[in-house]
Amino acid sequence: MKRVLLAIGGFLALVVMTFGAMMGSVFSGLKEMPDGQELPGGAKRVNHGYTSAYLVPIGEKELALIDCADEAEATAIKAELTRRGLGVDAVKAIFITHGHPDHTGGCKQFPGAQVFIGDGEQPLIEGTAASKGPLPGMMGPQKEFALTGARALKDGEEVEVGTLKVRAFVIPGHTAGSAAFLAAGVLYVGDSFTFNSDGSLRKAPWLFSDDGAVNVESIKRLGKLLAPEAADVKAMVPSHSGSVEGLKALVDYAGG
Ligand SMILES: [Zn+2]
């Protein structure tokens, strides 16, 4: 009996250690993500734990959100609004990079906002399908954070919200309808890639992603597509790492 318990204990310890090592490899060596970071065009990073959301001005006392972070009450985002003397109704639009719950958790706190997503992401956003990534897939469909009425943007489609023009790029791989959004010279990339502390680009972690090969293909296609307008891209901004200036890291990854 004792030997059986020891064997089970040893096996569990191995599972925990392996999981810890896998999670460590996902997040170690990433560029630091300073809370409150100011970005071109007056945008600001708002952190909650290991997730960043972004507030982007779209007019006098009106804002767009890029993702809603991971907490159902959206306390970090609301605190920043309060600091500016604004309420949740100041958020007029939300651009969701993908339907994982650490990006959609707080969205319901902004019921007056029009939600935009990438085409192909509808099932995750509406909570009708589970993510295909090994780890998020285990959580099943995210019914608690499901959103209806989101407008799906096609690859390359541009919309105007207030004074802000936003161009969407559908870059599947991390999820089926993962999107990047180019707004006021800042490219918001969600989880499709992050940056290492040396500024080089790191593809999406397989543990959380639908299809690693499709992710790499999408990153390279985006790099080639945007290379001719590199001068207009002031920064690239992921959700779980620091940002880098310019488009160079993406163009380098795409092979020049
Ligand atoms: Zn994700």
Side-chain angles (χ1 to χ4, degrees):
M1 184 65 185
K2 202 175 166 193
R3 218 183 289 169
V4 173
L5 284 177
L6 270 175
I8 293 171
F11 174 73
L12 286 177
L14 193 68
V15 169
V16 169
M17 272 159 45
T18 306
F19 184 72
M22 284 195 315
M23 293 299 279
S25 72
V26 166
F27 293 107
S28 73
L30 288 175
K31 204 162 192 290
E32 269 183 53
M33 37 188 273
D35 190 23
Q37 178 189 15
E38 308 271 355
L39 293 160
K44 188 169 189 173
R45 182 193 287 261
V46 179
N47 285 354
H48 184 260
Y50 66 95
T51 306
S52 298
Y54 296 89
L55 279 165
V56 188
I58 63 165
E60 180 103 5
K61 297 181 184 298
E62 292 190 338
L63 297 155
L65 261 177
I66 311 288
D67 291 336
C68 313
D70 60 340
E71 37 161 2
E73 296 301 320
T75 54
I77 297 167
K78 283 182 186 167
E80 174 61 22
L81 292 173
T82 303
R83 206 184 59 77
R84 299 182 191 195
L86 301 174
V88 292
D89 57 347
V91 176
K92 303 294 183 194
I94 303 173
F95 293 85
I96 302 179
T97 61
H98 64 293
H100 283 160
D102 53 331
H103 300 257
T104 58
C107 290
K108 283 186 177 163
Q109 297 296 319
F110 310 96
Q114 168 68 54
V115 175
F116 298 92
I117 59 173
D119 195 25
E121 200 67 349
Q122 293 91 328
L124 283 195
I125 295 291
E126 291 163 8
T128 57
S131 182
K132 293 190 178 65
L135 206 58
M138 290 196 301
M139 297 191 282
Q142 296 297 303
K143 295 197 188 303
E144 187 189 344
F145 304 120
L147 297 166
T148 51
R151 181 172 155 195
L153 299 175
K154 297 244 183 310
D155 188 39
E157 192 173 345
E158 190 171 81
V159 289
E160 259 182 86
V161 287
T163 56
L164 186 73
K165 282 196 178 106
V166 181
R167 189 156 27 128
F169 302 95
V170 180
I171 47 171
H174 180 60
T175 60
S178 276
F181 299 108
L182 182 60
V186 180
L187 184 66
Y188 299 91
V189 305
D191 291 359
S192 289
F193 50 93
T194 48
F195 295 105
N196 297 308
S197 45
D198 67 359
S200 61
L201 188 152
R202 188 191 296 191
K203 64 185 179 181
W206 68 270
L207 193 57
F208 296 96
S209 301
D210 282 16
D211 190 321
V214 174
N215 169 247
V216 168
E217 206 176 284
S218 289
I219 299 170
K220 291 186 171 175
R221 187 180 60 82
L222 184 64
K224 292 194 171 99
L225 186 74
L226 283 175
E229 42 187 309
D232 299 328
V233 180
K234 308 294 179 214
M236 293 189 287
V237 185
S239 303
H240 301 298
S241 86
S243 57
V244 299
E245 286 181 17
L247 196 69
K248 187 176 182 303
L250 177 57
V251 174
D252 285 353
Y253 190 88

